[in-house]
Amino acid sequence: MKQGTQGSAGTTTGEAAAAAEAAAGTARSRYRVPAQPAAGEADRRRDAGGATEGSARGEHTHGAPVLPRPRPAVQRSSVRGQVLAALRTALVTGDLRPGEVYSAPVLAERFGVSATPVREAMQQLAQEGAVEVVPNRGFRVVERGPRELAELAEVRALIEVPVMLRLARTVPAERWAGLRPLAEATVRAASSGCRATYAEADRAFHSAVLALAGNQQLVGVAEELHRRAQWPLVGGGAPGGGTRAELIADAHEHTALLDALIAGDLDVVRALVGEHFNGSE
């Protein structure tokens, strides 16, 4: 992959492309989380009252839906971050089903870690609006419908479209050309047919475009909205489609948009950006 130009946010598009490829590799591994030598020891030790950590917190561990047991793959460092990434992938793929309640101790057993990093990751997802706390039970995946998805798409368009159009008038062609590796990464991710892999590459491209505005607050807010727009709908439906053909078509909009930006064709840019957000990606 060729090296990109230096962006105003302080990272090169080549580095961003490498990060996108690494994130795509993580997504392809689904939600594999580390099996550690002492995995789950803290939760298997009983306290003085004879209760496990999970039951001491009142979380039921029987009858709760669980994910398929993952293969050991991740290192011990930054377990909480790896668990969070794995849970986010499971949200995008629909393995964490809307409306279902998941117990941290049960997920921890499947991941081969203690319940603490799982609970911390779930609390982060609760702050992001992906799950909600169910007292004495665990965490319920938030149920979303088409109306919420349409609202998210509208808010994203209100934020991103004016910025993209302003950048189209001010950013030189060579800066846009430097984003080519990220656009091509979305095409490769879409070709894999894995929605989680595509979600990572898609966010990386959009974030790199917005980073040219030099406003990190803008990038952070837009990325959070983008992530929320990628969660599955009630019934397992994928936002904006989700078949391999639909993902590929969406990805090719990125390369077409770059071509128009490099050419300085504002009319085409405006049309492509509008179409892209109508597709909610």
Side-chain angles (χ1 to χ4, degrees):
M1 183 174 295
K2 58 187 177 182
Q3 184 70 26
T5 56
Q6 183 74 25
S8 59
T11 58
T12 65
T13 54
E15 291 170 342
E21 293 291 350
T26 300
R28 282 191 293 272
S29 69
R30 303 287 291 227
Y31 40 82
R32 291 183 292 172
V33 182
Q36 304 170 25
E41 286 296 326
D43 296 310
R44 287 193 288 271
R45 291 197 304 266
R46 295 186 175 275
D47 59 18
T52 63
E53 178 186 350
S55 58
R57 293 175 180 266
E59 294 178 356
H60 296 305
T61 59
H62 299 290
V66 297
L67 302 178
R69 183 178 296 276
R71 296 190 296 270
V74 189
Q75 296 142 11
R76 295 188 58 170
S77 60
S78 187
V79 175
R80 175 189 175 277
Q82 294 176 76
V83 170
L84 179 59
L87 291 173
R88 281 174 168 165
T89 296
L91 278 170
V92 173
T93 60
D95 290 316
L96 284 177
R97 299 187 297 276
E100 294 284 359
V101 177
Y102 294 87
S103 164
V106 170
L107 290 175
E109 182 178 354
R110 295 290 172 176
F111 286 152
V113 300
S114 73
T116 298
V118 176
R119 191 174 286 111
E120 291 174 347
M122 280 294 202
Q123 291 288 356
Q124 175 63 38
L125 290 176
Q127 292 178 18
E128 296 175 2
V131 302
E132 56 188 9
V133 178
V134 181
N136 301 323
R137 292 186 61 194
F139 301 86
R140 177 184 291 112
V141 178
V142 172
E143 298 183 88
R144 304 167 58 249
R147 177 174 179 176
E148 181 179 350
L149 180 63
E151 291 173 350
L152 285 169
E154 181 180 6
V155 175
R156 286 189 63 211
L158 289 172
I159 294 175
E160 295 192 42
V161 171
V163 174
M164 287 188 182
L165 293 177
R166 173 166 59 85
L167 292 174
R169 293 188 291 269
T170 58
V171 174
E174 59 268 21
R175 297 285 298 279
W176 292 120
L179 300 184
R180 182 75 65 182
L182 290 173
E184 293 173 349
T186 67
V187 176
R188 291 193 298 273
S191 297
S192 76
C194 175
R195 184 163 186 85
T197 302
Y198 181 70
E200 294 288 350
D202 187 35
R203 285 199 310 276
F205 174 79
H206 280 263
S207 294
V209 170
L210 295 177
L212 294 176
N215 187 330
Q216 284 302 300
Q217 298 301 315
L218 167 69
V219 174
V221 170
E223 184 169 340
E224 180 179 350
L225 289 169
H226 197 167
R227 190 185 300 278
R228 292 179 62 184
Q230 293 172 328
W231 299 335
L233 303 176
V234 174
T243 67
R244 182 173 177 273
E246 289 167 329
L247 295 182
I248 291 174
D250 189 83
H252 278 299
E253 290 179 5
H254 296 149
T255 56
L257 176 61
L258 275 186
D259 289 339
L261 288 165
I262 292 170
D265 193 332
L266 293 181
D267 289 336
V268 174
V269 169
R270 189 176 293 105
L272 286 172
V273 168
E275 181 180 351
H276 197 61
F277 280 98
N278 284 337
S280 75
E281 287 296 353

